[in-house]
């Protein structure tokens, strides 16, 4: 799965984009976040405020309980503001 990180999530993880093999036990967005947090301290720090992180699955905004299914891309980003 291709994962993209934006704004402070990207700064904390240290990469803009990466491709990972998702374990079979990872079924939802929340499962993926939990998995990423176990990778190392940078991911744990990036997802420390998971309630503040927004998610898009194949460029469609989704909630944490969304099933990943056959998605090709997931993006993590903080809430957007502006006008």
């Amino acid at each position: 799965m291709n994962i993209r990180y934006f704004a402070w999530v990207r700064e904390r993880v240290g990469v803009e984009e990466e491709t990972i093999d998702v374990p079979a036990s990872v079924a939802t967005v929340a499962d993926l976040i939990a998995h990423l947090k176990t990778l190392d301290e940078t991911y744990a720090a990036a997802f420390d405020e998971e309630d503040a992180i927004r998610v898009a699955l194949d460029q469609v905004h989704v909630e944490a309980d969304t099933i990943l299914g056959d998605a090709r891309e997931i993006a993590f980003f903080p809430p957007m503001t502006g006008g």
Side-chain angles (χ1 to χ4, degrees):
M1 174 176 285
N2 189 44
I3 303 177
R4 300 185 70 195
Y5 307 100
F6 294 90
W8 56 258
V9 182
R10 177 187 65 233
E11 291 169 8
R12 292 178 186 176
V13 170
V15 296
E16 181 176 320
E17 185 174 350
E18 64 184 335
T19 301
I20 67 164
D21 291 324
V22 179
S25 61
V26 173
T28 66
V29 170
D31 292 342
L32 179 58
I33 291 171
H35 171 70
L36 291 171
K37 288 170 84 170
T38 68
L39 296 180
D40 68 32
E41 293 175 3
T42 59
Y43 290 92
F47 291 97
D48 185 48
E49 301 175 53
E50 24 181 310
D51 291 342
I53 296 174
R54 301 298 175 249
V55 182
L57 198 58
D58 289 335
Q59 300 184 3
V60 175
H61 289 236
V62 297
E63 299 296 324
D65 60 352
T66 301
I67 301 292
L68 295 173
D70 293 331
R72 288 187 240 159
E73 177 186 84
I74 188 164
F76 295 104
F77 49 92
M80 307 290 182
T81 62

